[in-house]
Amino acid sequence: MFFRSKVAGVGSFLPEKVLTNYDLEKMVDTSHDWILQRTGIERRHVVDENEGTSDLCVRAANNALKDANMTVDQIDLIMVATVTPDYKMPACACLVQAKLGAKNIMAFDINAACSGFIYGLFIADQFIKTGAYKNILVIGAENLTRLLNYKDRDTCILFGDGAGAFILSQTSATDENYLMTAHAHAEGAHAELLWSKGGGTRYPISQQVLDDGSHYMQMKGKEIFKNATRTMATACKEALAAINKTAADIDWIVPHQANLRITEAVANQFDFPMARIVSTVHETGNTSAASIPIAFDMAYKDGRIKRGQLILLTAFGAGLTSGSAILRF
Ligand code: UT7
């Protein structure tokens, strides 16, 4: 018996509070024009003091359940892709399981940074294809603004908070709307290009770590930019080749939302029109693992993405991780 997995429901959630580029002008030496021209970002959503990553997950998950017309007791497994869990332990997914009131099911986190959601889809697909589980909640969620140093203009202007979720469900081997292919990679030798060095077990929290600020996110922006365009374009080609399609067959590309210039560079490599690339970075900034499902949901809810279309997802992030997936929605 063979199975396929299909996207049964999609949902997202952005916190109410908004931080604009003009707000950032008052905090660091930057300007709205610089941020907009170099990144495409105009604003980003930010958690309030009572919200944690697990709360964002629950809001996105409930929206996905509603879209799938399902109840939480039908879910067999919860995965949360995040680098900003509420706590170092236990996993954010366990907190989400309890807050959703889900039954006593498997729940775990995936730490693959901005590629985490694609890692999650890839993993969920394996459980469904083998028949182990029927309905899997895959969430990408981040509370990155709590990992930022608001004195470091290289990073603090880029990131925002939010969550997005897919429900992947088992379908028959003849269903044509399914997750057709998924790919994931890592190049750990470049880990120091984008990391949060202090505050883990290698350099535990200490006065030194606090003084250095090495518990905050640190990034070599230019190198990350170059690697992002290279690996996302390669990942797209890999996914297209795996199902014997070309870019012309794709209705929409939903890339990780890091920087509009990165998206444009990836599009250029395929001669793919920007009009068929979903871009939400102006509204959300970079929400890491949450960015693909948030962008997907926004384009689905406003009518751009429609059922039956062929969609290519691609991501790149700390690790350095990367990945791609193609689904007929
Ligand atoms: O999810 C993956 C994670 N991260 C990313 O994808 C980010 C990838 N990198 C980028 O998006 C870009 O490298 C940045 C947006 C971070 C930076 O853009 P850039 O075009 O690479 O700028 P730059 O670092 O070369 O800086 C250009 C100038 C410099 O001034 P000088 O030396 O030319 O006088 C910087 O000091 O812009 C200055 N600058 C800023 N000015 C205003 C750097 N950051 C800022 C800022 N506001 N926030």
Side-chain angles (χ1 to χ4, degrees), residues 10-15 45 53 56-57 60 80-84 110 112-118 138-144 159-166 254-258 280 284-298 314-316:
V10 181
S12 66
F13 177 73
L14 293 173
H45 292 248
T53 304
L56 306 181
C57 289
V80 177
T82 187
V83 289
T84 50
I110 301 163
C114 307
S115 311
F117 190 73
I118 287 179
V138 185
I139 306 172
E142 301 288 4
N143 190 342
L144 286 161
F159 297 92
D161 302 326
F166 278 12
V254 185
H256 167 49
Q257 309 286 313
T280 55
T284 59
N286 181 344
T287 58
S288 187
S291 89
I292 289 177
I294 291 173
F296 193 110
D297 189 45
M298 286 168 86
T314 184
F316 162 85

Side-chain angles (χ1 to χ4, degrees), residues 19-22 32 36 40-44 281-283:
L19 187 69
T20 67
N21 294 346
Y22 296 108
H32 167 76
L36 187 60
I41 300 168
E42 292 176 43
R43 64 188 78 82
R44 66 287 292 143
V281 76
H282 60 284
E283 177 64 36

Side-chain angles (χ1 to χ4, degrees), residues 132-182:
Y133 292 128
K134 284 195 167 63
N135 299 303
I136 302 180
L137 180 57
V138 185
I139 306 172
E142 301 288 4
N143 190 342
L144 286 161
T145 58
R146 294 222 177 101
L147 197 63
L148 295 176
N149 179 357
Y150 280 95
K151 290 185 178 139
D152 175 15
R153 70 178 185 173
D154 292 345
T155 52
C156 77
I157 56 135
L158 294 171
F159 297 92
D161 302 326
F166 278 12
I167 294 167
L168 273 200
S169 293
Q170 190 185 83
T171 190
S172 75
T174 55
D175 194 337
E176 290 189 353
N177 292 351
Y178 72 110
L179 178 61
M180 300 170 81
T181 191

Side-chain angles (χ1 to χ4, degrees), residues 66-114:
K66 198 167 151 209
D67 185 52
N69 205 13
M70 286 172 67
T71 51
V72 70
D73 52 293
Q74 293 172 269
I75 298 295
D76 304 312
L77 163 61
I78 299 173
M79 282 181 230
V80 177
T82 187
V83 289
T84 50
D86 293 28
Y87 312 116
K88 283 209 187 302
M89 58 181 278
C92 189
C94 297
L95 308 178
V96 173
Q97 183 251 336
K99 288 184 183 182
L100 280 173
K103 56 191 183 194
N104 183 15
I105 52 171
M106 184 176 178
F108 64 91
D109 287 359
I110 301 163
N111 180 335
C114 307

